[in-house]
Short mmCIF file of all heavy atoms in Angstrom, two decimals:
data_model
loop_
_atom_site.label_atom_id
_atom_site.label_comp_id
_atom_site.label_asym_id
_atom_site.label_seq_id
_atom_site.Cartn_x
_atom_site.Cartn_y
_atom_site.Cartn_z
N MET A 1 -1.13 39.53 -23.70
CA MET A 1 -0.75 39.86 -22.43
C MET A 1 0.76 40.17 -22.37
O MET A 1 1.52 39.46 -23.01
CB MET A 1 -0.95 38.73 -21.44
CG MET A 1 -0.53 39.00 -20.01
SD MET A 1 -0.72 37.58 -18.90
CE MET A 1 -2.42 37.12 -19.10
N ARG A 2 1.14 41.24 -21.76
CA ARG A 2 2.59 41.66 -21.73
C ARG A 2 3.19 41.32 -20.41
O ARG A 2 2.54 41.66 -19.33
CB ARG A 2 2.69 43.13 -22.04
CG ARG A 2 2.19 43.43 -23.43
CD ARG A 2 2.69 44.74 -23.84
NE ARG A 2 3.31 44.61 -25.13
CZ ARG A 2 4.21 45.35 -25.57
NH1 ARG A 2 4.62 46.40 -24.98
NH2 ARG A 2 4.73 45.11 -26.82
N LYS A 3 4.32 40.79 -20.40
CA LYS A 3 5.12 40.59 -19.15
C LYS A 3 6.51 40.95 -19.48
O LYS A 3 7.11 40.86 -20.58
CB LYS A 3 5.09 39.03 -18.74
CG LYS A 3 3.77 38.53 -18.44
CD LYS A 3 3.20 39.17 -17.21
CE LYS A 3 1.79 38.60 -16.86
NZ LYS A 3 1.27 39.10 -15.66
N LEU A 4 7.22 41.45 -18.48
CA LEU A 4 8.55 41.94 -18.64
C LEU A 4 9.56 40.80 -18.17
O LEU A 4 9.34 40.19 -17.08
CB LEU A 4 8.91 43.18 -17.85
CG LEU A 4 8.15 44.39 -18.32
CD1 LEU A 4 8.41 45.52 -17.39
CD2 LEU A 4 8.50 44.75 -19.76
N ILE A 5 10.66 40.63 -18.86
CA ILE A 5 11.63 39.59 -18.48
C ILE A 5 12.97 40.38 -18.56
O ILE A 5 13.21 41.06 -19.58
CB ILE A 5 11.65 38.44 -19.45
CG1 ILE A 5 10.38 37.63 -19.30
CG2 ILE A 5 12.87 37.51 -19.07
CD1 ILE A 5 10.25 36.50 -20.31
N ALA A 6 13.80 40.24 -17.54
CA ALA A 6 15.11 40.94 -17.53
C ALA A 6 16.19 40.01 -17.94
O ALA A 6 16.14 38.87 -17.57
CB ALA A 6 15.32 41.50 -16.13
N PHE A 7 17.07 40.51 -18.76
CA PHE A 7 18.31 39.82 -19.20
C PHE A 7 19.59 40.60 -18.82
O PHE A 7 19.45 41.86 -18.82
CB PHE A 7 18.37 39.57 -20.71
CG PHE A 7 17.19 38.68 -21.20
CD1 PHE A 7 16.06 39.28 -21.94
CD2 PHE A 7 17.23 37.31 -21.05
CE1 PHE A 7 15.13 38.49 -22.45
CE2 PHE A 7 16.18 36.55 -21.62
CZ PHE A 7 15.13 37.12 -22.22
N ASP A 8 20.56 39.91 -18.47
CA ASP A 8 21.82 40.60 -18.33
C ASP A 8 22.31 41.12 -19.69
O ASP A 8 21.87 40.56 -20.72
CB ASP A 8 22.85 39.81 -17.63
CG ASP A 8 23.26 38.61 -18.43
OD1 ASP A 8 24.00 38.67 -19.34
OD2 ASP A 8 22.77 37.51 -18.00
N ASP A 9 23.13 42.11 -19.69
CA ASP A 9 23.56 42.69 -21.00
C ASP A 9 24.18 41.73 -21.99
O ASP A 9 23.90 41.74 -23.19
CB ASP A 9 24.56 43.82 -20.73
CG ASP A 9 23.89 44.99 -20.03
OD1 ASP A 9 22.71 45.21 -20.19
OD2 ASP A 9 24.63 45.85 -19.44
N ASP A 10 25.03 40.78 -21.52
CA ASP A 10 25.66 39.85 -22.39
C ASP A 10 24.66 38.91 -23.11
O ASP A 10 24.70 38.68 -24.18
CB ASP A 10 26.68 39.09 -21.59
CG ASP A 10 27.53 38.15 -22.44
OD1 ASP A 10 28.05 38.61 -23.51
OD2 ASP A 10 27.68 37.00 -22.14
N THR A 11 23.67 38.45 -22.23
CA THR A 11 22.68 37.52 -22.74
C THR A 11 21.82 38.25 -23.79
O THR A 11 21.49 37.70 -24.94
CB THR A 11 21.76 36.93 -21.61
OG1 THR A 11 22.62 36.25 -20.69
CG2 THR A 11 20.75 36.02 -22.21
N PHE A 12 21.44 39.47 -23.52
CA PHE A 12 20.61 40.25 -24.40
C PHE A 12 21.32 40.52 -25.77
O PHE A 12 20.77 40.36 -26.80
CB PHE A 12 20.17 41.56 -23.81
CG PHE A 12 19.26 42.35 -24.65
CD1 PHE A 12 17.89 41.93 -24.84
CD2 PHE A 12 19.71 43.45 -25.35
CE1 PHE A 12 17.03 42.65 -25.63
CE2 PHE A 12 18.89 44.15 -26.18
CZ PHE A 12 17.52 43.77 -26.34
N ASP A 13 22.63 40.78 -25.63
CA ASP A 13 23.45 41.07 -26.90
C ASP A 13 23.56 39.78 -27.76
O ASP A 13 23.36 39.77 -28.95
CB ASP A 13 24.82 41.48 -26.52
CG ASP A 13 24.91 42.85 -25.94
OD1 ASP A 13 23.89 43.65 -26.14
OD2 ASP A 13 25.90 43.20 -25.27
N LYS A 14 23.71 38.65 -27.06
CA LYS A 14 23.70 37.30 -27.83
C LYS A 14 22.31 37.04 -28.44
O LYS A 14 22.32 36.54 -29.57
CB LYS A 14 24.16 36.25 -26.85
CG LYS A 14 25.63 36.32 -26.51
CD LYS A 14 26.18 35.30 -25.54
CE LYS A 14 27.64 35.41 -25.23
NZ LYS A 14 28.05 34.54 -24.19
N LEU A 15 21.30 37.25 -27.69
CA LEU A 15 19.92 37.10 -28.32
C LEU A 15 19.63 37.98 -29.38
O LEU A 15 19.07 37.53 -30.43
CB LEU A 15 18.87 37.22 -27.13
CG LEU A 15 18.84 36.03 -26.09
CD1 LEU A 15 17.81 36.50 -24.99
CD2 LEU A 15 18.33 34.80 -26.78
N THR A 16 20.07 39.21 -29.32
CA THR A 16 19.91 40.12 -30.36
C THR A 16 20.66 39.64 -31.63
O THR A 16 20.19 39.68 -32.77
CB THR A 16 20.43 41.56 -29.97
OG1 THR A 16 19.60 41.98 -28.81
CG2 THR A 16 20.16 42.54 -31.10
N GLN A 17 21.87 39.27 -31.46
CA GLN A 17 22.69 38.75 -32.61
C GLN A 17 22.08 37.48 -33.19
O GLN A 17 22.03 37.36 -34.39
CB GLN A 17 24.14 38.47 -32.14
CG GLN A 17 25.00 38.14 -33.34
CD GLN A 17 25.08 39.21 -34.31
OE1 GLN A 17 25.30 40.40 -34.05
NE2 GLN A 17 24.90 38.84 -35.65
N LEU A 18 21.62 36.58 -32.31
CA LEU A 18 20.93 35.38 -32.86
C LEU A 18 19.68 35.78 -33.69
O LEU A 18 19.46 35.18 -34.71
CB LEU A 18 20.56 34.46 -31.69
CG LEU A 18 19.79 33.17 -32.09
CD1 LEU A 18 20.66 32.28 -33.03
CD2 LEU A 18 19.37 32.42 -30.83
N GLY A 19 18.95 36.67 -33.18
CA GLY A 19 17.81 37.18 -33.92
C GLY A 19 18.13 37.75 -35.27
O GLY A 19 17.57 37.53 -36.21
N ARG A 20 19.23 38.48 -35.31
CA ARG A 20 19.69 39.10 -36.63
C ARG A 20 20.05 37.96 -37.53
O ARG A 20 19.76 37.97 -38.74
CB ARG A 20 20.83 40.03 -36.38
CG ARG A 20 20.50 41.32 -35.77
CD ARG A 20 21.72 42.19 -35.67
NE ARG A 20 21.40 43.45 -34.94
CZ ARG A 20 22.10 43.86 -33.87
NH1 ARG A 20 23.30 43.31 -33.60
NH2 ARG A 20 21.73 44.91 -33.23
N ASP A 21 20.83 36.98 -37.07
CA ASP A 21 21.32 35.91 -37.85
C ASP A 21 20.20 35.05 -38.41
O ASP A 21 20.27 34.54 -39.56
CB ASP A 21 22.23 34.94 -36.97
CG ASP A 21 23.52 35.61 -36.58
OD1 ASP A 21 23.88 36.67 -37.15
OD2 ASP A 21 24.23 35.03 -35.76
N ARG A 22 19.14 34.93 -37.65
CA ARG A 22 18.06 34.09 -38.03
C ARG A 22 16.90 34.93 -38.66
O ARG A 22 15.88 34.34 -38.99
CB ARG A 22 17.47 33.24 -36.91
CG ARG A 22 18.50 32.24 -36.46
CD ARG A 22 18.01 31.43 -35.23
NE ARG A 22 16.73 30.75 -35.54
CZ ARG A 22 15.88 30.25 -34.73
NH1 ARG A 22 16.23 30.22 -33.44
NH2 ARG A 22 14.74 29.71 -35.11
N MET A 23 17.17 36.18 -38.66
CA MET A 23 16.09 37.08 -39.19
C MET A 23 14.78 36.91 -38.35
O MET A 23 13.67 36.78 -38.89
CB MET A 23 15.82 36.92 -40.65
CG MET A 23 17.00 37.26 -41.48
SD MET A 23 16.77 37.11 -43.29
CE MET A 23 15.57 38.42 -43.54
N ALA A 24 14.93 36.89 -37.09
CA ALA A 24 13.80 36.70 -36.17
C ALA A 24 13.85 37.85 -35.05
O ALA A 24 14.89 38.39 -34.77
CB ALA A 24 13.86 35.36 -35.45
N THR A 25 12.72 38.07 -34.42
CA THR A 25 12.64 39.06 -33.36
C THR A 25 12.92 38.39 -32.08
O THR A 25 12.89 37.12 -31.95
CB THR A 25 11.23 39.68 -33.26
OG1 THR A 25 10.33 38.65 -32.91
CG2 THR A 25 10.91 40.38 -34.63
N ILE A 26 13.22 39.14 -31.05
CA ILE A 26 13.41 38.64 -29.68
C ILE A 26 12.12 37.85 -29.34
O ILE A 26 12.18 36.83 -28.65
CB ILE A 26 13.76 39.70 -28.73
CG1 ILE A 26 15.06 40.45 -29.05
CG2 ILE A 26 13.76 39.23 -27.26
CD1 ILE A 26 16.29 39.60 -28.75
N GLN A 27 11.00 38.43 -29.69
CA GLN A 27 9.74 37.74 -29.31
C GLN A 27 9.65 36.38 -29.92
O GLN A 27 9.20 35.43 -29.30
CB GLN A 27 8.47 38.60 -29.72
CG GLN A 27 7.17 38.10 -29.39
CD GLN A 27 6.95 37.93 -27.88
OE1 GLN A 27 7.12 38.92 -27.21
NE2 GLN A 27 6.64 36.78 -27.33
N GLU A 28 10.05 36.26 -31.28
CA GLU A 28 9.97 34.90 -31.86
C GLU A 28 10.91 34.01 -31.25
O GLU A 28 10.56 32.77 -31.05
CB GLU A 28 10.31 35.09 -33.38
CG GLU A 28 9.17 35.80 -34.08
CD GLU A 28 9.58 36.26 -35.54
OE1 GLU A 28 10.76 36.47 -35.71
OE2 GLU A 28 8.69 36.43 -36.35
N LEU A 29 12.10 34.39 -30.82
CA LEU A 29 13.06 33.56 -30.08
C LEU A 29 12.43 33.15 -28.78
O LEU A 29 12.56 31.93 -28.40
CB LEU A 29 14.39 34.29 -29.94
CG LEU A 29 15.15 34.59 -31.12
CD1 LEU A 29 16.32 35.43 -30.75
CD2 LEU A 29 15.53 33.40 -31.89
N ALA A 30 11.85 34.06 -28.12
CA ALA A 30 11.23 33.79 -26.71
C ALA A 30 10.03 32.82 -26.92
O ALA A 30 9.96 31.76 -26.19
CB ALA A 30 10.71 34.97 -26.08
N ASP A 31 9.23 32.90 -27.98
CA ASP A 31 8.09 32.03 -28.16
C ASP A 31 8.62 30.56 -28.45
O ASP A 31 8.13 29.63 -27.89
CB ASP A 31 7.31 32.47 -29.43
CG ASP A 31 6.46 33.62 -29.17
OD1 ASP A 31 6.28 34.10 -27.91
OD2 ASP A 31 6.06 34.30 -30.14
N GLU A 32 9.66 30.52 -29.25
CA GLU A 32 10.33 29.14 -29.55
C GLU A 32 10.89 28.50 -28.31
O GLU A 32 10.69 27.37 -28.02
CB GLU A 32 11.40 29.32 -30.58
CG GLU A 32 12.08 28.06 -30.98
CD GLU A 32 13.14 28.28 -32.02
OE1 GLU A 32 13.35 29.42 -32.60
OE2 GLU A 32 13.91 27.35 -32.24
N ALA A 33 11.57 29.28 -27.53
CA ALA A 33 12.17 28.80 -26.30
C ALA A 33 11.13 28.38 -25.27
O ALA A 33 11.28 27.26 -24.71
CB ALA A 33 13.05 29.87 -25.64
N PHE A 34 10.14 29.08 -25.10
CA PHE A 34 9.06 28.75 -24.06
C PHE A 34 8.27 27.52 -24.59
O PHE A 34 7.91 26.69 -23.87
CB PHE A 34 8.17 29.90 -23.75
CG PHE A 34 8.86 30.94 -22.90
CD1 PHE A 34 8.97 32.22 -23.30
CD2 PHE A 34 9.36 30.54 -21.68
CE1 PHE A 34 9.55 33.15 -22.51
CE2 PHE A 34 9.95 31.47 -20.81
CZ PHE A 34 10.10 32.82 -21.24
N ALA A 35 8.05 27.40 -25.85
CA ALA A 35 7.33 26.27 -26.48
C ALA A 35 8.16 24.96 -26.17
O ALA A 35 7.61 23.94 -25.93
CB ALA A 35 7.09 26.46 -27.93
N ASP A 36 9.55 25.14 -26.36
CA ASP A 36 10.39 24.02 -26.12
C ASP A 36 10.36 23.52 -24.71
O ASP A 36 10.38 22.34 -24.36
CB ASP A 36 11.86 24.28 -26.58
CG ASP A 36 12.03 24.47 -28.04
OD1 ASP A 36 11.14 24.01 -28.83
OD2 ASP A 36 13.08 24.94 -28.54
N VAL A 37 10.32 24.46 -23.79
CA VAL A 37 10.27 24.22 -22.29
C VAL A 37 8.98 23.45 -22.02
O VAL A 37 8.93 22.41 -21.27
CB VAL A 37 10.41 25.48 -21.42
CG1 VAL A 37 10.12 25.13 -19.98
CG2 VAL A 37 11.83 26.00 -21.61
N LEU A 38 7.85 23.90 -22.53
CA LEU A 38 6.64 23.30 -22.30
C LEU A 38 6.49 21.88 -22.81
O LEU A 38 6.07 20.96 -22.21
CB LEU A 38 5.42 24.11 -22.86
CG LEU A 38 5.22 25.51 -22.21
CD1 LEU A 38 4.17 26.31 -23.00
CD2 LEU A 38 4.73 25.29 -20.78
N LYS A 39 7.11 21.77 -24.07
CA LYS A 39 7.15 20.43 -24.69
C LYS A 39 7.96 19.44 -23.89
O LYS A 39 7.60 18.36 -23.70
CB LYS A 39 7.70 20.61 -26.13
CG LYS A 39 7.66 19.30 -26.97
CD LYS A 39 8.20 19.55 -28.30
CE LYS A 39 8.27 18.21 -29.08
NZ LYS A 39 8.86 18.44 -30.46
N LYS A 40 9.10 19.97 -23.40
CA LYS A 40 9.95 19.10 -22.61
C LYS A 40 9.28 18.52 -21.39
O LYS A 40 9.55 17.40 -20.97
CB LYS A 40 11.22 19.93 -22.18
CG LYS A 40 12.14 19.24 -21.22
CD LYS A 40 13.24 20.21 -20.76
CE LYS A 40 14.06 19.56 -19.68
NZ LYS A 40 15.09 20.47 -19.16
N HIS A 41 8.40 19.32 -20.83
CA HIS A 41 7.65 18.88 -19.55
C HIS A 41 6.27 18.32 -19.92
O HIS A 41 5.52 18.03 -18.99
CB HIS A 41 7.61 20.11 -18.61
CG HIS A 41 8.91 20.51 -18.07
ND1 HIS A 41 9.51 19.83 -17.09
CD2 HIS A 41 9.70 21.51 -18.45
CE1 HIS A 41 10.67 20.42 -16.81
NE2 HIS A 41 10.83 21.40 -17.59
N GLY A 42 6.03 18.02 -21.18
CA GLY A 42 4.76 17.37 -21.54
C GLY A 42 3.53 18.20 -21.43
O GLY A 42 2.39 17.69 -21.30
N ILE A 43 3.69 19.48 -21.46
CA ILE A 43 2.57 20.41 -21.42
C ILE A 43 2.23 20.84 -22.78
O ILE A 43 3.09 21.41 -23.53
CB ILE A 43 2.90 21.63 -20.51
CG1 ILE A 43 3.24 21.10 -19.11
CG2 ILE A 43 1.71 22.65 -20.51
CD1 ILE A 43 3.78 22.19 -18.20
N PRO A 44 0.99 20.66 -23.30
CA PRO A 44 0.59 21.08 -24.65
C PRO A 44 0.79 22.57 -24.82
O PRO A 44 0.45 23.38 -23.89
CB PRO A 44 -0.89 20.68 -24.78
CG PRO A 44 -1.18 19.87 -23.58
CD PRO A 44 -0.11 20.07 -22.64
N VAL A 45 1.31 22.95 -25.96
CA VAL A 45 1.55 24.45 -26.27
C VAL A 45 0.30 25.09 -26.69
O VAL A 45 0.03 26.21 -26.31
CB VAL A 45 2.67 24.61 -27.31
CG1 VAL A 45 2.82 26.03 -27.71
CG2 VAL A 45 3.95 23.92 -26.89
N ASP A 46 -0.51 24.36 -27.47
CA ASP A 46 -1.74 24.94 -28.00
C ASP A 46 -2.87 23.92 -28.03
O ASP A 46 -2.67 22.71 -27.62
CB ASP A 46 -1.56 25.64 -29.40
CG ASP A 46 -1.00 24.57 -30.40
OD1 ASP A 46 -0.95 23.38 -30.17
OD2 ASP A 46 -0.53 25.03 -31.49
N LEU A 47 -4.03 24.27 -28.56
CA LEU A 47 -5.15 23.39 -28.58
C LEU A 47 -4.89 22.15 -29.38
O LEU A 47 -5.21 21.03 -29.03
CB LEU A 47 -6.39 24.12 -29.06
CG LEU A 47 -7.64 23.26 -29.25
CD1 LEU A 47 -8.09 22.71 -27.87
CD2 LEU A 47 -8.81 24.06 -29.84
N LYS A 48 -4.23 22.36 -30.59
CA LYS A 48 -3.97 21.22 -31.41
C LYS A 48 -2.99 20.18 -30.75
O LYS A 48 -3.33 19.00 -30.81
CB LYS A 48 -3.20 21.83 -32.67
CG LYS A 48 -2.94 20.77 -33.78
CD LYS A 48 -2.34 21.47 -35.01
CE LYS A 48 -2.23 20.59 -36.18
NZ LYS A 48 -1.71 21.26 -37.37
N ASP A 49 -1.97 20.66 -29.97
CA ASP A 49 -1.19 19.74 -29.20
C ASP A 49 -1.95 19.02 -28.11
O ASP A 49 -1.80 17.83 -27.90
CB ASP A 49 0.00 20.48 -28.58
CG ASP A 49 1.10 20.76 -29.56
OD1 ASP A 49 1.13 20.29 -30.72
OD2 ASP A 49 1.90 21.65 -29.22
N ALA A 50 -2.86 19.75 -27.40
CA ALA A 50 -3.71 19.15 -26.37
C ALA A 50 -4.51 18.07 -26.98
O ALA A 50 -4.69 16.98 -26.39
CB ALA A 50 -4.47 20.23 -25.70
N LEU A 51 -5.19 18.30 -28.07
CA LEU A 51 -6.08 17.32 -28.74
C LEU A 51 -5.26 16.07 -29.13
O LEU A 51 -5.68 14.95 -29.02
CB LEU A 51 -6.81 17.87 -29.96
CG LEU A 51 -7.85 18.98 -29.47
CD1 LEU A 51 -8.43 19.58 -30.78
CD2 LEU A 51 -9.00 18.38 -28.72
N ARG A 52 -4.12 16.34 -29.71
CA ARG A 52 -3.28 15.19 -30.23
C ARG A 52 -2.82 14.43 -28.98
O ARG A 52 -2.90 13.12 -29.06
CB ARG A 52 -2.00 15.84 -30.83
CG ARG A 52 -1.13 14.74 -31.61
CD ARG A 52 0.10 15.30 -32.38
NE ARG A 52 -0.32 16.27 -33.36
CZ ARG A 52 0.00 17.48 -33.52
NH1 ARG A 52 0.77 18.04 -32.60
NH2 ARG A 52 -0.47 18.22 -34.51
N LYS A 53 -2.45 14.98 -27.89
CA LYS A 53 -2.04 14.30 -26.70
C LYS A 53 -3.23 13.47 -26.13
O LYS A 53 -3.13 12.36 -25.66
CB LYS A 53 -1.48 15.26 -25.70
CG LYS A 53 -0.92 14.55 -24.49
CD LYS A 53 -0.19 15.49 -23.47
CE LYS A 53 0.45 14.74 -22.37
NZ LYS A 53 1.17 15.73 -21.48
N SER A 54 -4.35 14.13 -26.09
CA SER A 54 -5.63 13.45 -25.60
C SER A 54 -5.96 12.27 -26.44
O SER A 54 -6.30 11.23 -25.89
CB SER A 54 -6.72 14.45 -25.59
OG SER A 54 -7.93 13.77 -25.16
N ALA A 55 -5.85 12.36 -27.78
CA ALA A 55 -6.16 11.22 -28.65
C ALA A 55 -5.14 10.17 -28.36
O ALA A 55 -5.55 8.94 -28.51
CB ALA A 55 -6.16 11.73 -30.04
N ALA A 56 -3.93 10.46 -28.24
CA ALA A 56 -2.83 9.41 -28.09
C ALA A 56 -3.16 8.68 -26.75
O ALA A 56 -2.94 7.41 -26.69
CB ALA A 56 -1.46 10.05 -27.95
N LEU A 57 -3.60 9.35 -25.70
CA LEU A 57 -3.93 8.62 -24.44
C LEU A 57 -5.13 7.77 -24.64
O LEU A 57 -5.15 6.66 -24.00
CB LEU A 57 -4.21 9.71 -23.36
CG LEU A 57 -3.07 10.46 -22.87
CD1 LEU A 57 -3.52 11.56 -21.86
CD2 LEU A 57 -1.95 9.58 -22.25
N ASP A 58 -6.06 8.14 -25.43
CA ASP A 58 -7.29 7.27 -25.72
C ASP A 58 -6.85 5.99 -26.43
O ASP A 58 -7.53 4.99 -26.20
CB ASP A 58 -8.36 8.01 -26.45
CG ASP A 58 -9.07 9.13 -25.61
OD1 ASP A 58 -8.86 9.11 -24.32
OD2 ASP A 58 -9.66 10.03 -26.18
N ARG A 59 -5.97 6.16 -27.35
CA ARG A 59 -5.57 4.95 -28.19
C ARG A 59 -4.55 3.99 -27.42
O ARG A 59 -4.43 2.82 -27.88
CB ARG A 59 -4.88 5.41 -29.43
CG ARG A 59 -5.82 5.96 -30.47
CD ARG A 59 -5.14 6.27 -31.76
NE ARG A 59 -4.87 7.70 -31.76
CZ ARG A 59 -3.79 8.24 -32.08
NH1 ARG A 59 -2.77 7.55 -32.56
NH2 ARG A 59 -3.59 9.55 -32.06
N ALA A 60 -3.92 4.54 -26.46
CA ALA A 60 -2.89 3.69 -25.70
C ALA A 60 -3.56 2.54 -24.99
O ALA A 60 -4.56 2.77 -24.24
CB ALA A 60 -2.15 4.48 -24.82
N PRO A 61 -3.11 1.34 -25.13
CA PRO A 61 -3.74 0.23 -24.40
C PRO A 61 -3.37 0.35 -22.94
O PRO A 61 -2.42 0.92 -22.47
CB PRO A 61 -3.00 -1.05 -25.04
CG PRO A 61 -1.72 -0.52 -25.50
CD PRO A 61 -1.98 0.93 -25.92
N ALA A 62 -4.36 -0.20 -22.17
CA ALA A 62 -4.16 -0.16 -20.60
C ALA A 62 -2.96 -1.06 -20.34
O ALA A 62 -2.84 -2.16 -20.79
CB ALA A 62 -5.41 -0.55 -19.93
N LYS A 63 -2.09 -0.65 -19.43
CA LYS A 63 -0.95 -1.46 -19.02
C LYS A 63 -1.44 -2.41 -18.01
O LYS A 63 -2.10 -2.11 -17.03
CB LYS A 63 0.15 -0.57 -18.45
CG LYS A 63 0.77 0.37 -19.52
CD LYS A 63 1.91 1.11 -18.84
CE LYS A 63 2.57 2.03 -19.87
NZ LYS A 63 3.69 2.71 -19.28
N SER A 64 -1.02 -3.67 -18.27
CA SER A 64 -1.35 -4.76 -17.35
C SER A 64 -0.23 -4.91 -16.36
O SER A 64 0.90 -4.60 -16.65
CB SER A 64 -1.70 -6.03 -18.08
OG SER A 64 -0.49 -6.49 -18.65
N LYS A 65 -0.55 -5.47 -15.18
CA LYS A 65 0.48 -5.73 -14.16
C LYS A 65 1.14 -7.06 -14.43
O LYS A 65 2.02 -7.43 -13.72
CB LYS A 65 -0.09 -5.64 -12.81
CG LYS A 65 -0.62 -4.25 -12.46
CD LYS A 65 -1.13 -4.15 -11.08
CE LYS A 65 -1.56 -2.79 -10.68
NZ LYS A 65 -2.01 -2.62 -9.35
N ALA A 66 0.72 -7.78 -15.46
CA ALA A 66 1.32 -9.08 -15.78
C ALA A 66 2.72 -8.85 -16.18
O ALA A 66 3.06 -7.91 -16.84
CB ALA A 66 0.52 -9.74 -16.78
N ARG A 67 3.57 -9.79 -15.85
CA ARG A 67 5.00 -9.78 -16.24
C ARG A 67 5.12 -10.11 -17.72
O ARG A 67 4.58 -11.04 -18.25
CB ARG A 67 5.73 -10.76 -15.33
CG ARG A 67 7.18 -10.60 -15.33
CD ARG A 67 7.74 -11.59 -14.36
NE ARG A 67 9.13 -11.94 -14.90
CZ ARG A 67 9.79 -13.00 -14.58
NH1 ARG A 67 9.24 -13.86 -13.76
NH2 ARG A 67 10.95 -13.17 -15.12
N SER A 68 5.95 -9.32 -18.28
CA SER A 68 6.09 -9.60 -19.79
C SER A 68 7.30 -10.52 -20.01
O SER A 68 8.12 -10.73 -19.13
CB SER A 68 6.37 -8.27 -20.56
OG SER A 68 7.56 -7.69 -20.04
N GLY A 69 7.29 -11.18 -21.08
CA GLY A 69 8.35 -12.11 -21.39
C GLY A 69 7.94 -13.50 -21.17
O GLY A 69 6.91 -13.82 -20.67
N PRO A 70 8.82 -14.45 -21.56
CA PRO A 70 8.50 -15.91 -21.40
C PRO A 70 8.38 -16.31 -19.97
O PRO A 70 9.10 -15.73 -19.06
CB PRO A 70 9.68 -16.67 -22.16
CG PRO A 70 10.75 -15.57 -22.16
CD PRO A 70 10.10 -14.32 -22.16
N VAL A 71 7.49 -17.20 -19.69
CA VAL A 71 7.33 -17.72 -18.28
C VAL A 71 8.25 -18.98 -18.16
O VAL A 71 8.18 -19.92 -18.96
CB VAL A 71 5.82 -18.08 -18.09
CG1 VAL A 71 5.69 -18.69 -16.68
CG2 VAL A 71 4.99 -16.83 -18.19
N ARG A 72 9.06 -18.96 -17.18
CA ARG A 72 9.94 -20.15 -16.98
C ARG A 72 9.48 -20.94 -15.75
O ARG A 72 9.11 -20.31 -14.75
CB ARG A 72 11.38 -19.66 -16.73
CG ARG A 72 11.95 -18.91 -17.94
CD ARG A 72 13.31 -18.54 -17.67
NE ARG A 72 13.81 -17.70 -18.70
CZ ARG A 72 15.04 -17.10 -18.82
NH1 ARG A 72 15.88 -17.30 -17.76
NH2 ARG A 72 15.41 -16.46 -19.83
N LYS A 73 9.54 -22.31 -15.96
CA LYS A 73 9.13 -23.10 -14.75
C LYS A 73 10.40 -23.29 -13.88
O LYS A 73 11.49 -23.38 -14.40
CB LYS A 73 8.69 -24.41 -15.28
CG LYS A 73 7.42 -24.35 -15.98
CD LYS A 73 6.90 -25.78 -16.34
CE LYS A 73 5.64 -25.73 -17.09
NZ LYS A 73 5.11 -27.07 -17.38
N ALA A 74 10.19 -23.38 -12.60
CA ALA A 74 11.29 -23.58 -11.65
C ALA A 74 11.69 -25.05 -11.73
O ALA A 74 10.91 -25.93 -11.93
CB ALA A 74 10.85 -23.19 -10.28
N LYS A 75 13.00 -25.26 -11.72
CA LYS A 75 13.52 -26.67 -11.76
C LYS A 75 13.32 -27.28 -10.40
O LYS A 75 13.46 -26.71 -9.39
CB LYS A 75 15.05 -26.68 -12.12
CG LYS A 75 15.30 -26.18 -13.47
CD LYS A 75 16.76 -26.27 -13.78
CE LYS A 75 16.99 -25.84 -15.19
NZ LYS A 75 18.50 -25.90 -15.59
N SER A 76 12.90 -28.54 -10.44
CA SER A 76 12.68 -29.27 -9.22
C SER A 76 13.76 -30.22 -8.94
O SER A 76 14.44 -30.66 -9.65
CB SER A 76 11.38 -30.00 -9.15
OG SER A 76 10.62 -30.05 -10.29
#
């Protein structure tokens, strides 16, 4: 699927130079950037990530509402 994204000239020039420095295309830079944004917000990037996240949720123990730490008796 193709979508258009507009950049100002300065940003585009910097992205072009970064692509040259890393021997990457603008598309590869965009893919990396969008994958980072999705990861930051906890959204799986692909099926493998979705399965990994699902398996981690299945293995996580249920959180209890009990207070953690030592129980102290009140002084009388």
Side-chain angles (χ1 to χ4, degrees):
M1 177 183 308
R2 296 192 129 205
K3 298 290 179 181
L4 295 176
I5 298 176
F7 295 106
D8 60 77
D9 290 337
D10 187 46
T11 301
F12 184 75
D13 291 340
K14 289 177 181 176
L15 287 171
T16 302
Q17 186 60 48
L18 178 62
R20 286 184 191 133
D21 293 345
R22 294 182 54 193
M23 297 181 65
T25 64
I26 297 286
Q27 182 63 53
E28 291 168 335
L29 295 174
D31 290 343
E32 180 181 349
F34 287 121
D36 289 347
V37 169
L38 292 173
K39 183 177 178 182
K40 174 184 172 185
H41 293 283
I43 300 169
V45 177
D46 56 14
L47 179 60
K48 190 175 183 179
D49 285 344
L51 293 173
R52 189 177 298 124
K53 187 173 182 177
S54 176
L57 291 175
D58 289 345
R59 284 186 263 134
K63 292 183 180 182
S64 65
K65 292 185 180 182
R67 194 175 150 202
S68 62
V71 178
R72 297 181 187 179
K73 291 185 179 181
K75 292 183 180 181
S76 6

